[in-house]
Each structure stands twice: as structure tokens, then as C-alpha cells.
Amino acid sequence: MTATQESPTAAGAGANASQNFRAAASTRDVADTPPERVAAVVTAVLQGVHDAIHDHDVTYPEFQAAKAWLMAVGEGGEWPLFMDVFVEHAVEDQVARSQRGTKGSILGPYYLPDQVRLASTCELPRRQDEQGTPLVLEGQVRDVDGTSLPGAEVDIWHADADGYYSGFAPHVPEGNLRGVVVTDQEGRFAITTVQPAPYQIPTDGPTGQLIEAAGWHPWRPAHLHIQVRAEGHRPVTTQLYFTGGEWLESDVAEATKPELIIDPQDDGTGTRRATYDFELEPRSEV
Ligand code: MBD
Ligand code: FE
């Protein structure tokens, strides 16, 4: 990014992610969970913590450092980020075991509902001087039996060529590189956008500090987030990655799958084009 841009802080992105999560999340699901299940899962989680303490001979200073870090994650609004980077992939993997059709991937902390609805052939909202190689993603939404799905929603959002998401970085305008694309009579769509950059977990917040302290790297490979919805069908939340992309083999969020890698080709005009079809299973199978 250029030096004149306001640098988005971890706390700013975290606060937005927390606010957005609270607006979207239903706490009813949790309230309906029977006590036996709460006890079983929480006991297992705590047992894992206790085992780590014993196995690694954890000291009082380390225990107090852990408490201070947990407090900082809350105060910095980074729980949505931390949970989606380090935990969500296991939930997605578990839930995906019962889903046929297109492979899913994690939602992540940067989804925003109610974005602009766009025709099947469209350009995502972008700045006049939006940086990045033009990218076209086209394809068809179908039922797992092959029936095309007209009027399906391809809800797409992604980072810009500097790795920043609109709604979570103050210098990026609202709604930038986000949209809900409605498929045509044959279930087809063709979305023009720009190539996103890899995403770096903010290094100035507690999640970034933990990554640094552990000697890990803070990167996710470049990706497009997509949620496909069609009436009578189970929605799929997924991500598409790029052949040869940096960090593809070591995604900090462990959310890549071989079936989700696209290989856009230059069409001779400097625009890279890729085709990806989505298959949804009927809702009765949920
Ligand atoms: C992202 O862009 C993302 O997709 C996930 C899962 C976590 C942090 C940032
Ligand atoms: Fe992302």
C-alpha cells in the first residue's frame, strides 16, 4: 500500500468484526443446548487445557501471561478473528461431512450481509482507481442432480490488491468488492472484479503478537469468499484460491482444499478468466 493511506489498525478491524458478529449472531442456538452437551464439550476443552499445562510444565508467569493475552484479545475485539483463523476450520470440516456438492470453507470474520444485488453479468463495486489485475469469474449454479438454478444468489466478497476488506479498513469505501450476484435463466453468472492479494493477520494486535511469539507466519493465501444460496437448497459457504498462490500450502487458517483452487488464464487483453460451477444439495437432505 502507498504511504498516504491511513493504515487500518487491528483494533479497528476487530471492533467492526465484533459489532458485525453481534448483529448477525443468534444466541438462541446456544441457549437451547442441553446441559449435558454443554458439560461434555466444555469439559473436553478444559481437559485439553489442563493436559497442555501438565504436559508442558506450565509456570505461574506463563499462566498470568496467558490471562493478560486473553484480556487483550477481548479488549481489542479480536475474538472473531482469532476464532475464525484458529478454530472455524475444524467446525467447517465437521459440518461438511454431511454435505454433498461444492466443497465448503470457512466464513471468516469479514462477511457483511445485505450487499448490493447485481445482474448475472456484472462488475463488483470498485473504486475508480482500483488496483489489481482484472479478474472474471464465470460459471453456473446447479442442483447436485445437474438441474440449473436460475435466480440463485452468488454472494461474493474479497480483499483488494493490498489485502484489505471494505467495512474493516477505514480507507476502503463501504461495499467495495462485495455484491450479491443473481444467476440468469440458465443459472449462470459472470463476475468482473480484480485479483485479491494474500491476507495478513494484523500484526499490531494480540492475534498477531501470538503468531509472532510462536514463530508462525500471519498469512492466508489470496482468496475469494463466496456464499451460494438458492431456494429449496442448502447454502454453501466457500472460498476459491489461485493455482500457485503464495501461502496456499501453509494457510494460517487451514481453510484451503484442493477442489477450491482455480487457475485463471489471461484472455489476451490482460484480464484473467476462470470458470467455476457450484452444486447445491436439496434442503430436505439437511
Ligand atoms: C480472512 O480474510 C479470512 O478469510 C479468515 C478466515 C480469517 C481472517 C481473515
Ligand atoms: Fe478472507
PDB file of all heavy atoms in Angstrom, residues 81 84-85 106 108-110 165 199 201 220 223 225 239 253, ligand 1:
ATOM      1  N   LEU A  81     -11.788 -12.698  14.928  1.00  0.00           N
ATOM      2  CA  LEU A  81     -10.612 -13.013  14.108  1.00  0.00           C
ATOM      3  C   LEU A  81      -9.929 -14.281  14.601  1.00  0.00           C
ATOM      4  O   LEU A  81      -9.681 -15.216  13.830  1.00  0.00           O
ATOM      5  CB  LEU A  81      -9.630 -11.835  14.144  1.00  0.00           C
ATOM      6  CG  LEU A  81      -8.307 -12.052  13.403  1.00  0.00           C
ATOM      7  CD1 LEU A  81      -8.519 -12.105  11.901  1.00  0.00           C
ATOM      8  CD2 LEU A  81      -7.300 -10.947  13.761  1.00  0.00           C
ATOM      9  N   ASP A  84     -12.041 -17.508  14.025  1.00  0.00           N
ATOM     10  CA  ASP A  84     -12.196 -17.905  12.629  1.00  0.00           C
ATOM     11  C   ASP A  84     -10.864 -18.367  12.032  1.00  0.00           C
ATOM     12  O   ASP A  84     -10.837 -19.219  11.147  1.00  0.00           O
ATOM     13  CB  ASP A  84     -12.798 -16.759  11.810  1.00  0.00           C
ATOM     14  CG  ASP A  84     -14.229 -16.456  12.241  1.00  0.00           C
ATOM     15  OD1 ASP A  84     -14.782 -17.209  13.061  1.00  0.00           O
ATOM     16  OD2 ASP A  84     -14.796 -15.455  11.768  1.00  0.00           O
ATOM     17  N   VAL A  85      -9.761 -17.808  12.506  1.00  0.00           N
ATOM     18  CA  VAL A  85      -8.452 -18.221  11.986  1.00  0.00           C
ATOM     19  C   VAL A  85      -8.040 -19.577  12.558  1.00  0.00           C
ATOM     20  O   VAL A  85      -7.552 -20.441  11.834  1.00  0.00           O
ATOM     21  CB  VAL A  85      -7.378 -17.154  12.297  1.00  0.00           C
ATOM     22  CG1 VAL A  85      -5.974 -17.699  12.009  1.00  0.00           C
ATOM     23  CG2 VAL A  85      -7.619 -15.893  11.474  1.00  0.00           C
ATOM     24  N   ILE A 106     -14.362 -21.965   5.362  1.00  0.00           N
ATOM     25  CA  ILE A 106     -14.825 -21.139   6.475  1.00  0.00           C
ATOM     26  C   ILE A 106     -15.377 -19.785   6.010  1.00  0.00           C
ATOM     27  O   ILE A 106     -14.990 -19.264   4.966  1.00  0.00           O
ATOM     28  CB  ILE A 106     -13.705 -20.944   7.517  1.00  0.00           C
ATOM     29  CG1 ILE A 106     -12.515 -20.181   6.948  1.00  0.00           C
ATOM     30  CG2 ILE A 106     -13.261 -22.308   8.040  1.00  0.00           C
ATOM     31  CD1 ILE A 106     -11.398 -19.970   7.960  1.00  0.00           C
ATOM     32  N   GLY A 108     -15.190 -16.942   7.897  1.00  0.00           N
ATOM     33  CA  GLY A 108     -14.254 -15.882   8.282  1.00  0.00           C
ATOM     34  C   GLY A 108     -14.966 -14.706   8.913  1.00  0.00           C
ATOM     35  O   GLY A 108     -16.203 -14.668   8.976  1.00  0.00           O
ATOM     36  N   PRO A 109     -14.208 -13.717   9.399  1.00  0.00           N
ATOM     37  CA  PRO A 109     -14.787 -12.608  10.158  1.00  0.00           C
ATOM     38  C   PRO A 109     -15.266 -11.433   9.312  1.00  0.00           C
ATOM     39  O   PRO A 109     -15.800 -10.476   9.856  1.00  0.00           O
ATOM     40  CB  PRO A 109     -13.623 -12.157  11.046  1.00  0.00           C
ATOM     41  CG  PRO A 109     -12.388 -12.513  10.273  1.00  0.00           C
ATOM     42  CD  PRO A 109     -12.732 -13.724   9.447  1.00  0.00           C
ATOM     43  N   TYR A 110     -15.127 -11.485   7.978  1.00  0.00           N
ATOM     44  CA  TYR A 110     -15.345 -10.269   7.182  1.00  0.00           C
ATOM     45  C   TYR A 110     -16.545 -10.320   6.254  1.00  0.00           C
ATOM     46  O   TYR A 110     -16.671  -9.511   5.339  1.00  0.00           O
ATOM     47  CB  TYR A 110     -14.069  -9.935   6.403  1.00  0.00           C
ATOM     48  CG  TYR A 110     -12.897  -9.650   7.315  1.00  0.00           C
ATOM     49  CD1 TYR A 110     -11.604 -10.046   6.979  1.00  0.00           C
ATOM     50  CD2 TYR A 110     -13.076  -9.004   8.535  1.00  0.00           C
ATOM     51  CE1 TYR A 110     -10.527  -9.798   7.825  1.00  0.00           C
ATOM     52  CE2 TYR A 110     -12.014  -8.763   9.388  1.00  0.00           C
ATOM     53  CZ  TYR A 110     -10.744  -9.159   9.028  1.00  0.00           C
ATOM     54  OH  TYR A 110      -9.687  -8.918   9.870  1.00  0.00           O
ATOM     55  N   TYR A 165     -10.132  -5.486   3.368  1.00  0.00           N
ATOM     56  CA  TYR A 165     -11.561  -5.683   3.127  1.00  0.00           C
ATOM     57  C   TYR A 165     -12.341  -4.402   3.402  1.00  0.00           C
ATOM     58  O   TYR A 165     -12.136  -3.771   4.451  1.00  0.00           O
ATOM     59  CB  TYR A 165     -12.112  -6.759   4.071  1.00  0.00           C
ATOM     60  CG  TYR A 165     -11.747  -8.173   3.693  1.00  0.00           C
ATOM     61  CD1 TYR A 165     -10.564  -8.744   4.118  1.00  0.00           C
ATOM     62  CD2 TYR A 165     -12.612  -8.946   2.928  1.00  0.00           C
ATOM     63  CE1 TYR A 165     -10.239 -10.056   3.794  1.00  0.00           C
ATOM     64  CE2 TYR A 165     -12.296 -10.259   2.595  1.00  0.00           C
ATOM     65  CZ  TYR A 165     -11.105 -10.809   3.031  1.00  0.00           C
ATOM     66  OH  TYR A 165     -10.798 -12.092   2.703  1.00  0.00           O
ATOM     67  N   TYR A 199      -3.864 -12.281   2.413  1.00  0.00           N
ATOM     68  CA  TYR A 199      -4.311 -11.537   3.596  1.00  0.00           C
ATOM     69  C   TYR A 199      -3.356 -11.779   4.756  1.00  0.00           C
ATOM     70  O   TYR A 199      -3.023 -12.929   5.063  1.00  0.00           O
ATOM     71  CB  TYR A 199      -5.717 -11.987   4.002  1.00  0.00           C
ATOM     72  CG  TYR A 199      -6.185 -11.349   5.285  1.00  0.00           C
ATOM     73  CD1 TYR A 199      -6.794 -10.096   5.281  1.00  0.00           C
ATOM     74  CD2 TYR A 199      -5.981 -11.979   6.511  1.00  0.00           C
ATOM     75  CE1 TYR A 199      -7.187  -9.493   6.460  1.00  0.00           C
ATOM     76  CE2 TYR A 199      -6.374 -11.380   7.698  1.00  0.00           C
ATOM     77  CZ  TYR A 199      -6.974 -10.140   7.658  1.00  0.00           C
ATOM     78  OH  TYR A 199      -7.354  -9.541   8.833  1.00  0.00           O
ATOM     79  N   ILE A 201      -2.822 -11.410   8.786  1.00  0.00           N
ATOM     80  CA  ILE A 201      -3.421 -11.121  10.097  1.00  0.00           C
ATOM     81  C   ILE A 201      -2.730  -9.871  10.636  1.00  0.00           C
ATOM     82  O   ILE A 201      -1.496  -9.793  10.611  1.00  0.00           O
ATOM     83  CB  ILE A 201      -3.149 -12.273  11.100  1.00  0.00           C
ATOM     84  CG1 ILE A 201      -3.548 -13.630  10.522  1.00  0.00           C
ATOM     85  CG2 ILE A 201      -3.807 -12.021  12.446  1.00  0.00           C
ATOM     86  CD1 ILE A 201      -4.994 -13.861  10.320  1.00  0.00           C
ATOM     87  N   ARG A 220      -2.740 -15.673   5.011  1.00  0.00           N
ATOM     88  CA  ARG A 220      -3.675 -16.523   4.276  1.00  0.00           C
ATOM     89  C   ARG A 220      -3.382 -16.328   2.789  1.00  0.00           C
ATOM     90  O   ARG A 220      -3.121 -15.212   2.368  1.00  0.00           O
ATOM     91  CB  ARG A 220      -5.133 -16.102   4.535  1.00  0.00           C
ATOM     92  CG  ARG A 220      -5.600 -16.254   5.988  1.00  0.00           C
ATOM     93  CD  ARG A 220      -7.094 -16.572   6.012  1.00  0.00           C
ATOM     94  NE  ARG A 220      -7.291 -17.841   5.371  1.00  0.00           N
ATOM     95  CZ  ARG A 220      -8.267 -18.123   4.510  1.00  0.00           C
ATOM     96  NH1 ARG A 220      -9.169 -17.218   4.199  1.00  0.00           N
ATOM     97  NH2 ARG A 220      -8.357 -19.314   3.946  1.00  0.00           N
ATOM     98  N   HIS A 223      -7.657 -15.141  -1.791  1.00  0.00           N
ATOM     99  CA  HIS A 223      -8.892 -15.928  -1.913  1.00  0.00           C
ATOM    100  C   HIS A 223     -10.090 -15.049  -2.191  1.00  0.00           C
ATOM    101  O   HIS A 223     -10.090 -13.861  -1.881  1.00  0.00           O
ATOM    102  CB  HIS A 223      -9.139 -16.732  -0.620  1.00  0.00           C
ATOM    103  CG  HIS A 223      -9.182 -15.877   0.615  1.00  0.00           C
ATOM    104  ND1 HIS A 223      -8.044 -15.447   1.268  1.00  0.00           N
ATOM    105  CD2 HIS A 223     -10.227 -15.348   1.308  1.00  0.00           C
ATOM    106  CE1 HIS A 223      -8.378 -14.712   2.310  1.00  0.00           C
ATOM    107  NE2 HIS A 223      -9.697 -14.617   2.362  1.00  0.00           N
ATOM    108  N   HIS A 225     -14.136 -15.015  -1.223  1.00  0.00           N
ATOM    109  CA  HIS A 225     -15.182 -15.624  -0.389  1.00  0.00           C
ATOM    110  C   HIS A 225     -16.475 -15.654  -1.189  1.00  0.00           C
ATOM    111  O   HIS A 225     -16.836 -14.649  -1.819  1.00  0.00           O
ATOM    112  CB  HIS A 225     -15.441 -14.779   0.862  1.00  0.00           C
ATOM    113  CG  HIS A 225     -14.340 -14.794   1.857  1.00  0.00           C
ATOM    114  ND1 HIS A 225     -14.263 -15.737   2.851  1.00  0.00           N
ATOM    115  CD2 HIS A 225     -13.295 -13.965   2.041  1.00  0.00           C
ATOM    116  CE1 HIS A 225     -13.205 -15.484   3.614  1.00  0.00           C
ATOM    117  NE2 HIS A 225     -12.591 -14.415   3.135  1.00  0.00           N
ATOM    118  N   GLN A 239     -14.666 -20.731  -0.328  1.00  0.00           N
ATOM    119  CA  GLN A 239     -13.637 -19.789  -0.785  1.00  0.00           C
ATOM    120  C   GLN A 239     -12.969 -20.400  -2.000  1.00  0.00           C
ATOM    121  O   GLN A 239     -12.845 -21.616  -2.095  1.00  0.00           O
ATOM    122  CB  GLN A 239     -12.568 -19.563   0.302  1.00  0.00           C
ATOM    123  CG  GLN A 239     -13.115 -19.019   1.605  1.00  0.00           C
ATOM    124  CD  GLN A 239     -12.025 -18.699   2.625  1.00  0.00           C
ATOM    125  OE1 GLN A 239     -10.892 -18.388   2.271  1.00  0.00           O
ATOM    126  NE2 GLN A 239     -12.377 -18.769   3.887  1.00  0.00           N
ATOM    127  N   ALA A 253      -5.066 -20.129   8.475  1.00  0.00           N
ATOM    128  CA  ALA A 253      -6.418 -20.518   8.887  1.00  0.00           C
ATOM    129  C   ALA A 253      -6.772 -21.953   8.472  1.00  0.00           C
ATOM    130  O   ALA A 253      -7.891 -22.410   8.744  1.00  0.00           O
ATOM    131  CB  ALA A 253      -7.452 -19.549   8.308  1.00  0.00           C
TER     132      ALA A 253
HETATM  133  C1  MBD B   1      -9.633 -13.574   6.406  1.00  0.00           C
HETATM  134  O1  MBD B   1      -9.662 -12.860   5.260  1.00  0.00           O
HETATM  135  C2  MBD B   1     -10.232 -14.756   6.413  1.00  0.00           C
HETATM  136  O2  MBD B   1     -10.805 -15.160   5.267  1.00  0.00           O
HETATM  137  C3  MBD B   1     -10.245 -15.539   7.560  1.00  0.00           C
HETATM  138  C4  MBD B   1     -10.899 -16.850   7.524  1.00  0.00           C
HETATM  139  C5  MBD B   1      -9.643 -15.093   8.696  1.00  0.00           C
HETATM  140  C6  MBD B   1      -9.046 -13.882   8.703  1.00  0.00           C
HETATM  141  C7  MBD B   1      -9.030 -13.119   7.565  1.00  0.00           C
END
